[in-house]
Amino acid sequence: MKIMQVEKTLVSTNRIADLGHRPLLVVREKAGGARQVAVDAIGCIPGDWVICVGSSAAREAAGSKEYPSDLTIVGIIDHWAGD
Amino acid sequence: MKIMQVEKTLVSTNRIADLGHRPLLVVREKAGGARQVAVDAIGCIPGDWVICVGSSAAREAAGSKEYPSDLTIVGIIDHWAGD
Amino acid sequence: MKIMQVEKTLVSTNRIADLGHRPLLVVREKAGGARQVAVDAIGCIPGDWVICVGSSAAREAAGSKEYPSDLTIVGIIDHWAGD
Amino acid sequence: MKIMQVEKTLVSTNRIADLGHRPLLVVREKAGGARQVAVDAIGCIPGDWVICVGSSAAREAAGSKEYPSDLTIVGIIDHWAGD
Amino acid sequence: MKIMQVEKTLVSTNRIADLGHRPLLVVREKAGGARQVAVDAIGCIPGDWVICVGSSAAREAAGSKEYPSDLTIVGIIDHWAGD
């Protein structure tokens, strides 16, 4: 799993129905790193350092085997100082 | 999921039957980045910033578990300024 | 999916039975990039620019869910000028 | 599989129920490399060089097909000198 | 699939039962590249240039859908000169 920091919510009005209403968050591995989009299965706020699971495990972690996610936040790290 | 920008449609006359008639788009993560090909499940136009799902989730997002995609556009981002 | 160019056929006499007789091709994303091996599901010749699907979708694209491929050529691009 | 070194335990109080009580460890491929999080299926201690399996195989290696892992420690290397 | 060279056998006494007795080999894509661990489904010796399959295909290539591999050697290349 990757250690990433939540930056903000991503707004995507026009999206496939399978994504439902789960929040999509912009995350990044480190300051200056490429931004990615993760499905929030926890309830995070900007600034949180989180554990993101990828690969096929991201689907079930997002709620069901059919959920179209390849990056899902599965935990908030209690203390993290960045890299 | 990755944040990518749509560049243009890709024409591939000679392709496997499983790809069907879904549009294939050339996308890239940032200006100068490597181009990739994504299946369009939304209806995008060049210039759009989009959310692309990879891994095994790309198949079902493209319509069925049997669809041979490893990168599928699942949403258009309302506002994005590039990286 | 990745955009790659076919370089040549790869000869591997000693291989697992599951690979069968499908042709294995050496491909690369760009001149100087790392070479990879792709299963040819189309019928390509050296120099062709092709669409390669990876992840779990590569198996079914190669013919069956049991086929041991993680990179399968699913289409030839009509016109491509390199990157 | 990747060769990684165990750094420490990761504490994440707020996490999805599917992660259960399996220990989560911070691992890295080499000094200075990016830290990742792996599920420990063996019983490691900081400093151990371990074999980490990713992709969909990480789920079953962590105990069940439903376990949300994309990186699981499956073995401790007897002797390893770093890279 | 990746083109890698076999370096040596990896000894891991303490490993999960699912790995069984299949040999684990240290492989690398090129001199100086990062070392990885691959399951040998062929019978290789150090110095061999081999085809390694990753992703979910690595599991079945290693013998069964339950085998915890994300990198399996599926063929020896007859002639290869390095990159």
mmCIF file with all atom_site columns, all heavy atoms in Angstrom, chain E residues 17-35:
data_model
loop_
_atom_site.group_PDB
_atom_site.id
_atom_site.type_symbol
_atom_site.label_atom_id
_atom_site.label_alt_id
_atom_site.label_comp_id
_atom_site.label_asym_id
_atom_site.label_entity_id
_atom_site.label_seq_id
_atom_site.pdbx_PDB_ins_code
_atom_site.Cartn_x
_atom_site.Cartn_y
_atom_site.Cartn_z
_atom_site.occupancy
_atom_site.B_iso_or_equiv
_atom_site.pdbx_formal_charge
_atom_site.auth_seq_id
_atom_site.auth_comp_id
_atom_site.auth_asym_id
_atom_site.auth_atom_id
_atom_site.pdbx_PDB_model_num
ATOM 1   N N   . ALA E 1 17 ? 3.424  -21.020 3.868   1.00 0.00 ? 17 ALA E N   1
ATOM 2   C CA  . ALA E 1 17 ? 3.308  -22.384 3.346   1.00 0.00 ? 17 ALA E CA  1
ATOM 3   C C   . ALA E 1 17 ? 2.901  -22.413 1.873   1.00 0.00 ? 17 ALA E C   1
ATOM 4   O O   . ALA E 1 17 ? 3.320  -23.306 1.121   1.00 0.00 ? 17 ALA E O   1
ATOM 5   C CB  . ALA E 1 17 ? 2.308  -23.163 4.186   1.00 0.00 ? 17 ALA E CB  1
ATOM 6   N N   . ASP E 1 18 ? 2.126  -21.427 1.448   1.00 0.00 ? 18 ASP E N   1
ATOM 7   C CA  . ASP E 1 18 ? 1.636  -21.427 0.065   1.00 0.00 ? 18 ASP E CA  1
ATOM 8   C C   . ASP E 1 18 ? 2.757  -21.370 -0.970  1.00 0.00 ? 18 ASP E C   1
ATOM 9   O O   . ASP E 1 18 ? 2.557  -21.735 -2.127  1.00 0.00 ? 18 ASP E O   1
ATOM 10  C CB  . ASP E 1 18 ? 0.697  -20.232 -0.175  1.00 0.00 ? 18 ASP E CB  1
ATOM 11  C CG  . ASP E 1 18 ? -0.630 -20.390 0.568   1.00 0.00 ? 18 ASP E CG  1
ATOM 12  O OD1 . ASP E 1 18 ? -0.905 -21.504 1.054   1.00 0.00 ? 18 ASP E OD1 1
ATOM 13  O OD2 . ASP E 1 18 ? -1.380 -19.409 0.661   1.00 0.00 ? 18 ASP E OD2 1
ATOM 14  N N   . LEU E 1 19 ? 3.927  -20.875 -0.571  1.00 0.00 ? 19 LEU E N   1
ATOM 15  C CA  . LEU E 1 19 ? 5.030  -20.795 -1.535  1.00 0.00 ? 19 LEU E CA  1
ATOM 16  C C   . LEU E 1 19 ? 5.578  -22.179 -1.870  1.00 0.00 ? 19 LEU E C   1
ATOM 17  O O   . LEU E 1 19 ? 6.223  -22.367 -2.900  1.00 0.00 ? 19 LEU E O   1
ATOM 18  C CB  . LEU E 1 19 ? 6.160  -19.903 -1.003  1.00 0.00 ? 19 LEU E CB  1
ATOM 19  C CG  . LEU E 1 19 ? 5.954  -18.389 -1.142  1.00 0.00 ? 19 LEU E CG  1
ATOM 20  C CD1 . LEU E 1 19 ? 7.064  -17.639 -0.442  1.00 0.00 ? 19 LEU E CD1 1
ATOM 21  C CD2 . LEU E 1 19 ? 5.899  -17.982 -2.620  1.00 0.00 ? 19 LEU E CD2 1
ATOM 22  N N   . GLY E 1 20 ? 5.362  -23.152 -0.994  1.00 0.00 ? 20 GLY E N   1
ATOM 23  C CA  . GLY E 1 20 ? 5.803  -24.519 -1.239  1.00 0.00 ? 20 GLY E CA  1
ATOM 24  C C   . GLY E 1 20 ? 7.297  -24.620 -1.483  1.00 0.00 ? 20 GLY E C   1
ATOM 25  O O   . GLY E 1 20 ? 8.092  -23.857 -0.911  1.00 0.00 ? 20 GLY E O   1
ATOM 26  N N   . HIS E 1 21 ? 7.681  -25.528 -2.346  1.00 0.00 ? 21 HIS E N   1
ATOM 27  C CA  . HIS E 1 21 ? 9.106  -25.777 -2.574  1.00 0.00 ? 21 HIS E CA  1
ATOM 28  C C   . HIS E 1 21 ? 9.594  -25.281 -3.923  1.00 0.00 ? 21 HIS E C   1
ATOM 29  O O   . HIS E 1 21 ? 10.678 -25.624 -4.359  1.00 0.00 ? 21 HIS E O   1
ATOM 30  C CB  . HIS E 1 21 ? 9.385  -27.281 -2.451  1.00 0.00 ? 21 HIS E CB  1
ATOM 31  C CG  . HIS E 1 21 ? 9.259  -27.770 -1.052  1.00 0.00 ? 21 HIS E CG  1
ATOM 32  N ND1 . HIS E 1 21 ? 10.031 -27.291 -0.020  1.00 0.00 ? 21 HIS E ND1 1
ATOM 33  C CD2 . HIS E 1 21 ? 8.426  -28.685 -0.510  1.00 0.00 ? 21 HIS E CD2 1
ATOM 34  C CE1 . HIS E 1 21 ? 9.691  -27.885 1.100   1.00 0.00 ? 21 HIS E CE1 1
ATOM 35  N NE2 . HIS E 1 21 ? 8.711  -28.733 0.845   1.00 0.00 ? 21 HIS E NE2 1
ATOM 36  N N   . ARG E 1 22 ? 8.788  -24.499 -4.623  1.00 0.00 ? 22 ARG E N   1
ATOM 37  C CA  . ARG E 1 22 ? 9.230  -23.980 -5.913  1.00 0.00 ? 22 ARG E CA  1
ATOM 38  C C   . ARG E 1 22 ? 10.443 -23.083 -5.699  1.00 0.00 ? 22 ARG E C   1
ATOM 39  O O   . ARG E 1 22 ? 10.484 -22.272 -4.777  1.00 0.00 ? 22 ARG E O   1
ATOM 40  C CB  . ARG E 1 22 ? 8.124  -23.156 -6.578  1.00 0.00 ? 22 ARG E CB  1
ATOM 41  C CG  . ARG E 1 22 ? 6.817  -23.939 -6.760  1.00 0.00 ? 22 ARG E CG  1
ATOM 42  C CD  . ARG E 1 22 ? 6.158  -23.561 -8.037  1.00 0.00 ? 22 ARG E CD  1
ATOM 43  N NE  . ARG E 1 22 ? 6.804  -24.237 -9.142  1.00 0.00 ? 22 ARG E NE  1
ATOM 44  C CZ  . ARG E 1 22 ? 6.135  -24.710 -10.199 1.00 0.00 ? 22 ARG E CZ  1
ATOM 45  N NH1 . ARG E 1 22 ? 4.837  -24.566 -10.263 1.00 0.00 ? 22 ARG E NH1 1
ATOM 46  N NH2 . ARG E 1 22 ? 6.770  -25.301 -11.191 1.00 0.00 ? 22 ARG E NH2 1
ATOM 47  N N   . PRO E 1 23 ? 11.433 -23.192 -6.571  1.00 0.00 ? 23 PRO E N   1
ATOM 48  C CA  . PRO E 1 23 ? 12.618 -22.338 -6.406  1.00 0.00 ? 23 PRO E CA  1
ATOM 49  C C   . PRO E 1 23 ? 12.301 -20.862 -6.636  1.00 0.00 ? 23 PRO E C   1
ATOM 50  O O   . PRO E 1 23 ? 11.550 -20.507 -7.545  1.00 0.00 ? 23 PRO E O   1
ATOM 51  C CB  . PRO E 1 23 ? 13.591 -22.852 -7.468  1.00 0.00 ? 23 PRO E CB  1
ATOM 52  C CG  . PRO E 1 23 ? 12.793 -23.724 -8.367  1.00 0.00 ? 23 PRO E CG  1
ATOM 53  C CD  . PRO E 1 23 ? 11.565 -24.158 -7.653  1.00 0.00 ? 23 PRO E CD  1
ATOM 54  N N   . LEU E 1 24 ? 12.889 -20.021 -5.799  1.00 0.00 ? 24 LEU E N   1
ATOM 55  C CA  . LEU E 1 24 ? 12.799 -18.561 -5.942  1.00 0.00 ? 24 LEU E CA  1
ATOM 56  C C   . LEU E 1 24 ? 14.142 -18.056 -6.455  1.00 0.00 ? 24 LEU E C   1
ATOM 57  O O   . LEU E 1 24 ? 15.178 -18.361 -5.867  1.00 0.00 ? 24 LEU E O   1
ATOM 58  C CB  . LEU E 1 24 ? 12.468 -17.917 -4.591  1.00 0.00 ? 24 LEU E CB  1
ATOM 59  C CG  . LEU E 1 24 ? 11.149 -18.351 -3.936  1.00 0.00 ? 24 LEU E CG  1
ATOM 60  C CD1 . LEU E 1 24 ? 11.001 -17.698 -2.566  1.00 0.00 ? 24 LEU E CD1 1
ATOM 61  C CD2 . LEU E 1 24 ? 9.960  -17.990 -4.822  1.00 0.00 ? 24 LEU E CD2 1
ATOM 62  N N   . LEU E 1 25 ? 14.120 -17.280 -7.532  1.00 0.00 ? 25 LEU E N   1
ATOM 63  C CA  . LEU E 1 25 ? 15.365 -16.810 -8.125  1.00 0.00 ? 25 LEU E CA  1
ATOM 64  C C   . LEU E 1 25 ? 15.451 -15.290 -8.073  1.00 0.00 ? 25 LEU E C   1
ATOM 65  O O   . LEU E 1 25 ? 14.439 -14.600 -8.229  1.00 0.00 ? 25 LEU E O   1
ATOM 66  C CB  . LEU E 1 25 ? 15.470 -17.274 -9.576  1.00 0.00 ? 25 LEU E CB  1
ATOM 67  C CG  . LEU E 1 25 ? 15.432 -18.792 -9.800  1.00 0.00 ? 25 LEU E CG  1
ATOM 68  C CD1 . LEU E 1 25 ? 15.544 -19.102 -11.292 1.00 0.00 ? 25 LEU E CD1 1
ATOM 69  C CD2 . LEU E 1 25 ? 16.553 -19.488 -9.033  1.00 0.00 ? 25 LEU E CD2 1
ATOM 70  N N   . VAL E 1 26 ? 16.655 -14.802 -7.864  1.00 0.00 ? 26 VAL E N   1
ATOM 71  C CA  . VAL E 1 26 ? 16.897 -13.365 -7.963  1.00 0.00 ? 26 VAL E CA  1
ATOM 72  C C   . VAL E 1 26 ? 17.125 -13.034 -9.441  1.00 0.00 ? 26 VAL E C   1
ATOM 73  O O   . VAL E 1 26 ? 17.971 -13.654 -10.095 1.00 0.00 ? 26 VAL E O   1
ATOM 74  C CB  . VAL E 1 26 ? 18.127 -12.950 -7.121  1.00 0.00 ? 26 VAL E CB  1
ATOM 75  C CG1 . VAL E 1 26 ? 18.387 -11.458 -7.266  1.00 0.00 ? 26 VAL E CG1 1
ATOM 76  C CG2 . VAL E 1 26 ? 17.922 -13.317 -5.661  1.00 0.00 ? 26 VAL E CG2 1
ATOM 77  N N   . VAL E 1 27 ? 16.347 -12.084 -9.955  1.00 0.00 ? 27 VAL E N   1
ATOM 78  C CA  . VAL E 1 27 ? 16.470 -11.691 -11.364 1.00 0.00 ? 27 VAL E CA  1
ATOM 79  C C   . VAL E 1 27 ? 16.604 -10.172 -11.429 1.00 0.00 ? 27 VAL E C   1
ATOM 80  O O   . VAL E 1 27 ? 16.250 -9.453  -10.498 1.00 0.00 ? 27 VAL E O   1
ATOM 81  C CB  . VAL E 1 27 ? 15.231 -12.132 -12.176 1.00 0.00 ? 27 VAL E CB  1
ATOM 82  C CG1 . VAL E 1 27 ? 15.134 -13.644 -12.248 1.00 0.00 ? 27 VAL E CG1 1
ATOM 83  C CG2 . VAL E 1 27 ? 13.947 -11.560 -11.584 1.00 0.00 ? 27 VAL E CG2 1
ATOM 84  N N   . ARG E 1 28 ? 17.116 -9.705  -12.563 1.00 0.00 ? 28 ARG E N   1
ATOM 85  C CA  . ARG E 1 28 ? 17.165 -8.258  -12.758 1.00 0.00 ? 28 ARG E CA  1
ATOM 86  C C   . ARG E 1 28 ? 17.064 -7.941  -14.247 1.00 0.00 ? 28 ARG E C   1
ATOM 87  O O   . ARG E 1 28 ? 17.491 -8.717  -15.095 1.00 0.00 ? 28 ARG E O   1
ATOM 88  C CB  . ARG E 1 28 ? 18.426 -7.656  -12.148 1.00 0.00 ? 28 ARG E CB  1
ATOM 89  C CG  . ARG E 1 28 ? 19.713 -8.187  -12.682 1.00 0.00 ? 28 ARG E CG  1
ATOM 90  C CD  . ARG E 1 28 ? 20.891 -7.955  -11.756 1.00 0.00 ? 28 ARG E CD  1
ATOM 91  N NE  . ARG E 1 28 ? 20.948 -6.612  -11.243 1.00 0.00 ? 28 ARG E NE  1
ATOM 92  C CZ  . ARG E 1 28 ? 21.883 -6.168  -10.412 1.00 0.00 ? 28 ARG E CZ  1
ATOM 93  N NH1 . ARG E 1 28 ? 22.851 -6.995  -10.012 1.00 0.00 ? 28 ARG E NH1 1
ATOM 94  N NH2 . ARG E 1 28 ? 21.892 -4.946  -9.984  1.00 0.00 ? 28 ARG E NH2 1
ATOM 95  N N   . GLU E 1 29 ? 16.490 -6.772  -14.548 1.00 0.00 ? 29 GLU E N   1
ATOM 96  C CA  . GLU E 1 29 ? 16.266 -6.422  -15.955 1.00 0.00 ? 29 GLU E CA  1
ATOM 97  C C   . GLU E 1 29 ? 17.560 -6.072  -16.678 1.00 0.00 ? 29 GLU E C   1
ATOM 98  O O   . GLU E 1 29 ? 17.712 -6.326  -17.846 1.00 0.00 ? 29 GLU E O   1
ATOM 99  C CB  . GLU E 1 29 ? 15.282 -5.251  -16.043 1.00 0.00 ? 29 GLU E CB  1
ATOM 100 C CG  . GLU E 1 29 ? 13.838 -5.715  -16.004 1.00 0.00 ? 29 GLU E CG  1
ATOM 101 C CD  . GLU E 1 29 ? 12.880 -4.642  -16.477 1.00 0.00 ? 29 GLU E CD  1
ATOM 102 O OE1 . GLU E 1 29 ? 12.745 -4.457  -17.683 1.00 0.00 ? 29 GLU E OE1 1
ATOM 103 O OE2 . GLU E 1 29 ? 12.261 -3.996  -15.623 1.00 0.00 ? 29 GLU E OE2 1
ATOM 104 N N   . LYS E 1 30 ? 18.478 -5.468  -15.975 1.00 0.00 ? 30 LYS E N   1
ATOM 105 C CA  . LYS E 1 30 ? 19.757 -5.148  -16.605 1.00 0.00 ? 30 LYS E CA  1
ATOM 106 C C   . LYS E 1 30 ? 20.799 -4.948  -15.519 1.00 0.00 ? 30 LYS E C   1
ATOM 107 O O   . LYS E 1 30 ? 20.456 -4.733  -14.344 1.00 0.00 ? 30 LYS E O   1
ATOM 108 C CB  . LYS E 1 30 ? 19.657 -3.908  -17.479 1.00 0.00 ? 30 LYS E CB  1
ATOM 109 C CG  . LYS E 1 30 ? 19.318 -2.651  -16.702 1.00 0.00 ? 30 LYS E CG  1
ATOM 110 C CD  . LYS E 1 30 ? 19.284 -1.453  -17.608 1.00 0.00 ? 30 LYS E CD  1
ATOM 111 C CE  . LYS E 1 30 ? 17.866 -1.204  -18.108 1.00 0.00 ? 30 LYS E CE  1
ATOM 112 N NZ  . LYS E 1 30 ? 17.797 -0.092  -19.056 1.00 0.00 ? 30 LYS E NZ  1
ATOM 113 N N   . ALA E 1 31 ? 22.054 -5.038  -15.876 1.00 0.00 ? 31 ALA E N   1
ATOM 114 C CA  . ALA E 1 31 ? 23.117 -4.813  -14.910 1.00 0.00 ? 31 ALA E CA  1
ATOM 115 C C   . ALA E 1 31 ? 22.882 -3.474  -14.227 1.00 0.00 ? 31 ALA E C   1
ATOM 116 O O   . ALA E 1 31 ? 22.685 -2.448  -14.884 1.00 0.00 ? 31 ALA E O   1
ATOM 117 C CB  . ALA E 1 31 ? 24.469 -4.836  -15.615 1.00 0.00 ? 31 ALA E CB  1
ATOM 118 N N   . GLY E 1 32 ? 22.849 -3.468  -12.908 1.00 0.00 ? 32 GLY E N   1
ATOM 119 C CA  . GLY E 1 32 ? 22.646 -2.232  -12.172 1.00 0.00 ? 32 GLY E CA  1
ATOM 120 C C   . GLY E 1 32 ? 21.191 -1.955  -11.852 1.00 0.00 ? 32 GLY E C   1
ATOM 121 O O   . GLY E 1 32 ? 20.888 -1.075  -11.053 1.00 0.00 ? 32 GLY E O   1
ATOM 122 N N   . GLY E 1 33 ? 20.266 -2.685  -12.496 1.00 0.00 ? 33 GLY E N   1
ATOM 123 C CA  . GLY E 1 33 ? 18.841 -2.495  -12.206 1.00 0.00 ? 33 GLY E CA  1
ATOM 124 C C   . GLY E 1 33 ? 18.478 -3.128  -10.873 1.00 0.00 ? 33 GLY E C   1
ATOM 125 O O   . GLY E 1 33 ? 19.265 -3.880  -10.296 1.00 0.00 ? 33 GLY E O   1
ATOM 126 N N   . ALA E 1 34 ? 17.289 -2.810  -10.388 1.00 0.00 ? 34 ALA E N   1
ATOM 127 C CA  . ALA E 1 34 ? 16.837 -3.352  -9.106  1.00 0.00 ? 34 ALA E CA  1
ATOM 128 C C   . ALA E 1 34 ? 16.605 -4.855  -9.216  1.00 0.00 ? 34 ALA E C   1
ATOM 129 O O   . ALA E 1 34 ? 16.089 -5.343  -10.212 1.00 0.00 ? 34 ALA E O   1
ATOM 130 C CB  . ALA E 1 34 ? 15.546 -2.660  -8.672  1.00 0.00 ? 34 ALA E CB  1
ATOM 131 N N   . ARG E 1 35 ? 17.013 -5.555  -8.189  1.00 0.00 ? 35 ARG E N   1
ATOM 132 C CA  . ARG E 1 35 ? 16.802 -7.003  -8.150  1.00 0.00 ? 35 ARG E CA  1
ATOM 133 C C   . ARG E 1 35 ? 15.364 -7.297  -7.741  1.00 0.00 ? 35 ARG E C   1
ATOM 134 O O   . ARG E 1 35 ? 14.800 -6.621  -6.881  1.00 0.00 ? 35 ARG E O   1
ATOM 135 C CB  . ARG E 1 35 ? 17.742 -7.647  -7.152  1.00 0.00 ? 35 ARG E CB  1
ATOM 136 C CG  . ARG E 1 35 ? 19.171 -7.710  -7.631  1.00 0.00 ? 35 ARG E CG  1
ATOM 137 C CD  . ARG E 1 35 ? 20.037 -8.293  -6.544  1.00 0.00 ? 35 ARG E CD  1
ATOM 138 N NE  . ARG E 1 35 ? 21.428 -8.363  -6.964  1.00 0.00 ? 35 ARG E NE  1
ATOM 139 C CZ  . ARG E 1 35 ? 22.312 -7.395  -6.741  1.00 0.00 ? 35 ARG E CZ  1
ATOM 140 N NH1 . ARG E 1 35 ? 21.950 -6.298  -6.118  1.00 0.00 ? 35 ARG E NH1 1
ATOM 141 N NH2 . ARG E 1 35 ? 23.561 -7.531  -7.143  1.00 0.00 ? 35 ARG E NH2 1
#
